[in-house]
């Protein structure tokens, strides 16, 4: 009798505690408030996410599809997850868009476009004034073959049907993937750029109806290239805003051997004639979009309104060296802030410039500090007086290191923990050092110092977006970017300025507290 009462009580406690754990997980999911949960970068409510896919604007909504494992927190069962937004920052999660075909193929990366005139014949809008629908072109990744499939949606991306004539492009190869489709106005046709990943080759196809594709050309970087090419993109941009001087940018995400190690985003500048890419970047110059360790698998938006005119991309904030091991739970993987792209002529050649989209200003909840022309000591005092702390901050600073050996910020500081973002004038470099940033032991490739060369270091502008588990730094108005994940202890919210071996000056400093996109 006594035994069974105890047993029942035990079972009761177990059931209640299980329920409480479950309720907490649910609550945390709903509030997006677990430790390290990004507050203003897109993350899935639960499970594993990698590349952004199918970025497209249609009927007032920005769509973000993404590589997603609906079944777990590591890569697998790849399918397209889905979210929509009215500003590219505040996202609403939607049900899975395109699920894997179990036993046949997974849904790898790809792109989406608006088929404005129903060239595909797959749109059934019934509205003569607007016969459009959405088309997604993705890689069907089978065991020994990767080819390209088309899916279409007649309800603003909510549900998708696979085209019965799939595959629409097939080279009978195991590494043919990541199609990026765009409208090539000069020849009134669609162009698809995809990769032969292991051969490090970009391939160009064209089509009039999005269903029949013809291979027209290919591009390789040369014998010294390494690794695999993934997730290509190809778009035209004006140099220094001059519409008479436009160049094409061919992007290839490379795995591994990026500057910080592991995966990274490389680009070439040149010309494209609808079939061939003529590279103008001198051989031996490797151009990279980001010098941090966590920016990969970029995808740029299709069909932004003509009056908008921007080219905007998003990258995945991770690195294949440790993507499956990052220490978050119930969710894994984050997307970068959307970045506006442009080209600028520099003394070394034409370079890609990235800036956070203007909409990002809308994340500012309140200004914590604003000052100019002060010493590091005075800036520190002001920060102390205003009690500047936080794990979701935007910081804009212009630093003049003077005779200092090294000057910069110590971010997410707590005890001996902190992430350094600094400038070393002697070597003309900017760096992020996350060796002591908090939790780093989950992967030997995670801790480290990642640096980029500056053209000059007498005045350096840093535009920093600090989220609960990441750091995006736009240097000198976006001529250089460093993106890195960090996993500080929850209480490490301090921020300090430092200047070693000399007297650096703070020419200007503004700090804002940023709000959460989930509330
Ligand atoms: C890049 C990538 C792509 C592929 C996808 C699979 O991160 O490897 O080449 O389509 O991820 O999830």
């Amino acid at each position: 009798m006594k035994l069974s009462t105890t047993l029942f009580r035990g079972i009761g406690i177990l059931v209640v505690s299980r329920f409480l754990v479950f309720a907490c997980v649910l609550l945390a999911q709903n509030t997006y408030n677990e430790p390290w949960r990004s507050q203003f970068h897109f993350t899935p409510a639960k499970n594993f996410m990698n590349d952004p896919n199918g970025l497209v604007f249609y009927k007032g909504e920005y769509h973000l599809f993404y590589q997603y494992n609906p079944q777990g927190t590591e890569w697998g069962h790849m399918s397209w997850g889905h979210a929509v937004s009215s500003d590219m920052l505040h996202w609403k999660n939607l049900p899975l868009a395109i699920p894997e075909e179990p036993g046949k193929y997974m849904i790898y990366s790809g792109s989406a476009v608006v088929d404005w005139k129903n060239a595909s014949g797959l749109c059934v809008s019934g509205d003569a004034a607007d016969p459009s629908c959405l088309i997604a072109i993705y890689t069907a990744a089978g065991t020994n073959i990767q080819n390209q499939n088309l899916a279409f949606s007649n309800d603003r991306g909510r549900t998708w049907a696979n085209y019965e004539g799939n595959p629409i492009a097939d080279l009978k190869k195991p590494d043919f993937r990541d199609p990026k489709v765009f409208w090539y106005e000069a020849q009134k046709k669609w162009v698809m750029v995809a990769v032969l990943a292991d051969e490090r080759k970009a391939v160009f196809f064209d089509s009039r109806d999005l269903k029949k594709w013809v291979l027209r050309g290919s591009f390789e970087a040369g014998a010294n290239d390494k690794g695999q090419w993934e997730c290509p993109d190809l778009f035209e941009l004006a140099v220094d805003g001059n519409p008479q001087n436009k160049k094409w940018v061919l992007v290839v995400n490379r795995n591994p051997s990026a500057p910080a190690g592991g995966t990274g985003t490389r680009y070439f500048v040149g010309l494209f004639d609808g079939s061939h890419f003529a590279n103008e970047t001198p051989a031996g110059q490797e151009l990279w979009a980001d010098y941090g360790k966590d920016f990969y698998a970029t995808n740029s938006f299709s069909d932004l309104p003509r009056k908008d005119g921007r080219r905007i991309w998003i990258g995945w904030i991770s690195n294949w060296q440790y993507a499956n091991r990052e220490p978050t739970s119930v969710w894994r993987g984050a997307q970068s802030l959307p970045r506006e792209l442009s080209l600028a002529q520099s003394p070394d050649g034409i370079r890609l410039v990235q800036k956070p989209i203007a909409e990002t200003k809308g994340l500012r909840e309140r200004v914590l500090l604003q000052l100019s022309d002060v010493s590091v000591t005075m800036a520190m005092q002001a920060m102390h007086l205003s009690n500047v702390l936080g794990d979701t901050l935007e910081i804009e600073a212009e630093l003049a290191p003077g005779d200092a050996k090294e000057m910069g910020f110590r971010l997410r500081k707590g005890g001996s923990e902190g992430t350094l973002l600094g400038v070393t004038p002697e070597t003309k470099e900017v760096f992020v050092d996350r060796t002591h940033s908090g939790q780093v032991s989950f992967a030997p490739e995670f801790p480290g110092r990642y640096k980029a060369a500056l053209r000059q270091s007498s005045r350096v502008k840093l535009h920093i977006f600090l989220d609960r588990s990441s750091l995006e730094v736009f240097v000198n108005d976006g001529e250089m970017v460093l993106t890195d994940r960090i996993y500080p202890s929850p209480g490490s919210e301090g921020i300090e300025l430092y200047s070693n071996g000399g007297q650096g000056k703070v020419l200007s400093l503004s700090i804002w507290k940023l709000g959460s996109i989930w509330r």
Side-chain angles (χ1 to χ4, degrees):
M1 180 72 185
K2 206 161 169 223
L3 185 72
S4 62
T5 316
T6 318
L7 194 69
F8 278 130
R9 205 172 275 160
I11 292 172
I13 290 171
L14 196 72
V15 169
V16 170
S17 62
R18 275 283 156 82
F19 173 77
L20 281 177
V21 168
F22 180 66
C24 284
V25 167
L26 262 188
L27 204 69
Q29 267 173 32
N30 291 338
T31 55
Y32 265 73
N33 210 15
E34 306 93 334
W36 297 319
R37 171 67 90 168
S38 309
Q39 294 300 294
F40 56 89
H41 289 87
F42 179 80
T43 55
K46 58 176 188 169
N47 291 332
F48 182 88
M49 172 180 74
N50 52 296
D51 318 353
N53 293 152
L55 300 183
V56 64
F57 180 77
Y58 186 51
K59 299 200 173 184
E61 289 177 321
Y62 298 93
H63 292 263
L64 163 64
F65 300 92
Y66 52 86
Q67 285 291 283
Y68 187 54
N69 178 1
Q71 299 184 31
T73 49
E74 289 183 11
W75 187 90
H77 301 285
M78 294 327 283
S79 303
W80 275 25
H82 190 194
V84 288
S85 168
S86 58
D87 62 0
M88 289 177 269
L89 293 166
H90 295 81
W91 295 98
K92 182 174 158 231
N93 288 307
L94 291 179
L96 198 65
I98 311 180
E100 68 165 339
E101 291 286 334
K104 291 191 192 145
Y105 56 81
M106 292 196 264
I107 315 297
Y108 272 18
S109 283
S111 52
V113 290
V114 181
D115 181 6
W116 288 106
K117 295 186 180 158
N118 190 19
S120 64
L122 297 167
C123 309
V124 292
S125 94
D127 176 357
D130 179 4
S132 66
C133 66
L134 280 177
I135 302 283
I137 294 187
Y138 64 82
T139 300
T143 317
N144 294 313
I145 186 149
Q146 295 183 348
N147 47 33
Q148 316 320 319
N149 272 5
L150 184 154
F152 56 100
S153 168
N154 276 291
D155 58 0
R156 294 161 60 243
R158 271 40 181 193
T159 60
W160 292 84
N162 279 314
Y163 169 52
E164 56 182 23
N166 281 336
I168 46 127
D170 191 1
L171 297 176
K172 312 261 185 265
K173 296 241 182 190
D175 63 335
F176 171 36
R177 62 174 178 266
D178 304 343
K180 178 75 166 93
V181 173
F182 62 93
W183 177 249
Y184 185 67
E185 178 62 28
Q187 293 167 12
K188 305 250 182 283
K189 65 181 188 184
W190 303 93
V191 168
M192 177 200 296
V193 53
V195 288
L196 295 175
D198 300 332
E199 295 167 45
R200 295 173 288 279
K201 192 186 269 191
V203 283
F204 310 107
F205 291 71
D206 67 13
S207 172
R208 301 275 162 196
D209 63 2
L210 293 159
K211 297 187 296 197
K212 287 183 290 304
W213 292 89
V214 180
L215 178 63
R216 299 286 179 194
S218 66
F219 172 75
E220 287 165 88
N224 294 332
D225 205 25
K226 317 180 207 50
Q228 278 189 328
W229 281 12
E230 300 187 306
C231 300
D233 204 340
L234 182 59
F235 42 79
E236 197 181 22
L237 291 172
V239 181
D240 294 327
N242 176 2
Q244 309 308 326
N245 182 18
K246 286 187 168 176
K247 295 285 178 195
W248 285 81
V249 181
L250 174 65
V251 179
V252 291
N253 284 272
R254 201 174 81 185
N255 178 12
S257 303
T263 45
T265 305
R266 192 177 169 191
Y267 68 96
F268 302 85
V269 180
L271 298 173
F272 182 65
D273 65 2
S275 306
H276 300 98
F277 177 75
N279 180 30
E280 295 182 347
T281 303
Q285 258 191 27
E286 279 196 9
L287 306 182
W288 294 89
D290 199 298
Y291 284 82
K293 195 145 181 177
D294 298 304
F295 187 72
Y296 194 59
T298 50
N299 195 284
S300 72
F301 273 96
S302 184
D303 294 283
L304 292 190
R306 200 175 295 250
K307 67 175 183 327
D308 181 319
R310 290 177 295 178
R311 174 64 53 177
I312 295 170
W313 74 5
I314 292 178
W316 170 46
I317 316 190
S318 192
N319 190 311
W320 276 124
Q321 282 184 337
Y322 42 72
N324 280 311
R325 282 173 287 162
E326 292 191 78
T328 52
S329 89
V330 311
W331 63 284
R332 199 175 260 144
Q335 303 298 349
S336 75
L337 284 175
R339 303 176 181 178
E340 182 180 349
L341 305 176
S342 57
L343 286 176
Q345 182 70 53
S346 84
D348 312 319
I350 299 173
R351 296 289 182 267
L352 195 65
V353 173
Q354 300 171 77
K355 286 187 187 172
I357 54 167
E359 288 86 334
T360 309
K361 289 207 169 80
L363 295 173
R364 292 175 182 172
E365 218 168 63
R366 69 200 147 88
V367 62
L368 301 179
L369 187 77
Q370 232 152 13
L371 45 83
S372 56
D373 257 322
V374 289
S375 66
V376 169
T377 318
M378 278 169 73
M380 282 296 294
Q381 274 168 2
M383 277 160 61
H384 190 67
L385 280 175
S386 309
N387 197 26
V388 175
L389 291 170
D391 56 6
T392 53
L393 299 176
E394 179 185 351
I395 305 167
E396 261 190 304
E398 186 168 7
L399 307 181
D403 59 353
K405 288 255 168 301
E406 183 177 314
M407 175 180 191
F409 288 95
R410 194 171 284 115
L411 302 163
R412 298 300 306 271
K413 187 179 175 332
S416 58
E417 200 171 283
T419 302
L420 299 183
L421 161 61
V423 179
T424 48
E426 241 169 52
T427 54
K428 291 213 188 93
E429 279 166 352
V430 57
F431 69 89
V432 169
D433 189 337
R434 66 179 179 189
T435 316
H436 304 291
S437 54
Q439 169 74 263
V440 296
S441 58
F442 58 90
E445 304 90 345
F446 187 81
R449 181 172 167 123
Y450 310 115
K451 57 189 188 196
L454 291 168
R455 241 162 252 128
Q456 56 77 27
S457 55
S458 50
R459 295 167 78 106
V460 181
K461 287 190 200 167
L462 301 172
H463 194 176
I464 308 161
F465 289 86
L466 185 64
D467 205 340
R468 286 210 184 141
S469 55
S470 63
L471 178 67
E472 270 174 290
V473 189
F474 299 84
V475 184
N476 288 339
D477 300 312
E479 78 179 30
M480 203 64 77
V481 191
L482 292 105
T483 306
D484 289 291
R485 292 211 71 155
I486 45 170
Y487 295 101
S489 311
S492 299
E493 296 196 356
I495 154 167
E496 284 178 5
L497 267 159
Y498 72 93
S499 166
N500 292 342
Q503 286 300 316
K505 213 161 180 211
V506 181
L507 300 177
S508 64
L509 175 64
S510 303
I511 307 182
W512 294 267
K513 158 114 186 63
L514 298 188
S516 169
I517 59 172
W518 303 109
R519 278 175 265 287

